């Protein structure tokens, strides 16, 4: 049997040198006259071990990492093609503690399979959900998704089944499925990992959504900063179309569904669903007032399901194993699993898929290993640039939509950014306002003007100009933005600002003036 060597082609792994490692492996094989197949898989998400090279042996896969090009020759000398020991030896990938502790449902194949091999996808459980769906009535599919408790993984946490039901029950000559892959939050990379490591699961999820709602066309809207994801999705769609997963007869059924990839120009606000629709239609990416809801009047004025990548990629496992199986994971109204993306000043950065319910402290300290600098953790921002900053006193908060909301926080897209005790929270609050000012589409006054005034006011606090009065002004400004903005960009900017003020008040006090020398 020809040896198979897995070297990730995932963007994160490439940024850490995976391409150079792949070329070094290829050269070493040629120099030694060894015939082997190099598979460019996705990443398993343990980025602190990337580039992680794996080899398929008679006893299963063996991993090595993080591998440098200079390690490759010694790897061959140590017999790594048969799992030989080397200083980079990690053993069986699924036994690595960071990966072994996870509950992988949506990401079960990510980093395991060849992303563009449909045979590999099917061999690891792919297409079972779609095969089940084509034999069901649309209402029964919607019921299954609703009963699973799946909620939008893009940030809002809206029940997926309710959105699908609305589109199903709305009469129209054309309906659409739009996948929001405009992953713009800081510390988020779950969407990208799926698109680059297991694109067929997204295609399968979109096809199921189409059959469930009567939609016959789908679009994946990907940010321009994701060129590798765009290329992978375009190739995967072609493979799926040729194999009959897409087209006029999905898997030989009477159901028609096809899809296209579209690239956004990089505006953060286009992660908001109505701005995304405007951009997709070729218009300026500005927020639309609601109603009408996109489920009633969305893309090109037609009923439209807009779901995040992870929401859609979670549907196949639900349709394969059933609603009860999926709902068995999680807590409260937060059911299933969530891909937590751990980043910032952290020792073990990466993607950790787990059932809802772990505490923030467990995620940061036990899974993330604390800070990379070794200094104490000062704050953790959950939910991207619009998420609240949580101090250690809130680390007992369980990862659950309602639990975070009760503490004036939000889960968002489940990105976590860790800060050590050198972080200046006044600067972080200013950054939130500045980010909003730069990224605002400009349609509503609270967001457009409020964020600019916010930057100016926080600058006055930094200069020691009536700080308590300025804090009162910022608080009032945040209240106006929270309740007066058209979308979450202006509406959620108060979360990082007010949490920084409330939990780290000392950072907003004027710096003591040194006494003049006598």
């Amino acid at each position: 049997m020809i040896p198979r060597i897995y070297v990730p082609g995932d963007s994160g792994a490439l940024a850490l040198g995976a391409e150079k490692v792949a070329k070094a492996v290829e050269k070493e094989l040629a120099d030694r006259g060894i015939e082997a197949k190099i598979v460019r898989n996705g990443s398993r998400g343990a980025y602190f071990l990337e580039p992680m090279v794996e080899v398929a042996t008679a006893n299963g896969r063996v991993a090595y990492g993080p591998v440098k090009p200079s390690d490759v020759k010694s790897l061959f000398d140590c017999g790594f093609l048969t799992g030989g020991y080397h200083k980079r030896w990690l053993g069986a990938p699924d036994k690595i503690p960071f990966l072994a502790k996870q509950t992988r449902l949506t990401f079960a194949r990510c980093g395991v399979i060849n992303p563009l091999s449909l045979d590999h996808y099917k061999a690891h459980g792919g297409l079972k959900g779609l095969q089940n769906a084509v034999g069901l009535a649309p209402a029964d599919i919607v019921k299954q998704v609703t009963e699973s408790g799946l909620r939008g993984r893009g940030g809002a946490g809206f029940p997926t089944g309710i959105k699908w039901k609305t589109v199903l029950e709305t009469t129209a000559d054309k309906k659409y499925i739009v996948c929001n892959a405009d992953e713009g939050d800081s510390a988020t990379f779950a969407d990208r990992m799926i698109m680059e490591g297991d694109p067929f699961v997204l295609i399968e999820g979109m096809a199921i959504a189409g059959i469930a709602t009567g939609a016959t066309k789908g679009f994946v809207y990907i940010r321009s900063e994701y060129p590798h994801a765009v290329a992978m999705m375009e190739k995967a769609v072609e493979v799926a179309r040729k194999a009959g997963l897409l087209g006029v007869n999905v898997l030989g059924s009477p159901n028609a569904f096809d899809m296209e990839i579209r690239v956004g120009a990089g505006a953060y606000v286009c992660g908001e669903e109505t701005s995304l629709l405007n951009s997709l239609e070729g218009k300026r990416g500005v927020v639309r007032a609601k109603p009408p809801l996109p489920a009633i009047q969305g893309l090109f004025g037609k009923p439209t399901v807009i779901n995040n990548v992870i929401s859609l990629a979670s549907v196949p496992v639900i349709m394969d194993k059933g609603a009860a199986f999926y709902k068995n994971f999680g807590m409260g109204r937060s059911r299933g699993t969530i891909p937590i993306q751990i980043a910032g000043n952290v020792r073990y950065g990466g993607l950790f898929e787990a059932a809802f319910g772990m505490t923030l402290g467990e995620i940061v300290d036990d899974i993330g290993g604390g800070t990379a600098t070794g200094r104490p953790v000062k704050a953790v921002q959950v939910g991207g640039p619009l998420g609240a900053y949580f101090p250690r006193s809130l680390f007992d908060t369980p990862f659950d939509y309602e639990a975070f909301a009760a503490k004036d926080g939000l889960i968002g897209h489940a990105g976590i950014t860790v800060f050590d005790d050198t972080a200046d929270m006044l600067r972080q609050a200013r950054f939130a306002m500045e980010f909003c000012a730069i990224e605002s589409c400009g349609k509503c006054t609270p967001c457009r003007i409020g964020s600019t005034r916010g930057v100016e006011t926080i600058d006055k606090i930094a200069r020691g100009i009536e700080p308590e009065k300025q804090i009162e002004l910022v608080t009032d400004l945040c209240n106006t933005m929270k309740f007066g903005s058209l979308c979450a960009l202006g509406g959620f900017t108060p979360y990082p600002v007010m949490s920084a003020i409330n939990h780290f008040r000392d950072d907003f006090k004027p710096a003591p003036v040194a006494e003049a020398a006598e």
Side-chain angles (χ1 to χ4, degrees), residues 444-461:
C444 70
T445 304
C447 176
R448 183 183 72 250
I449 304 299
S451 54
T452 301
R453 295 289 87 84
V455 171
E456 295 168 354
T457 307
I458 292 173
D459 280 345
K460 289 180 181 178
I461 298 173

Side-chain angles (χ1 to χ4, degrees), residues 25 60 96 116 167 221 278 478:
V25 170
I96 296 169
L116 293 175
V167 174
Y221 184 95
N278 274 338
C478 283

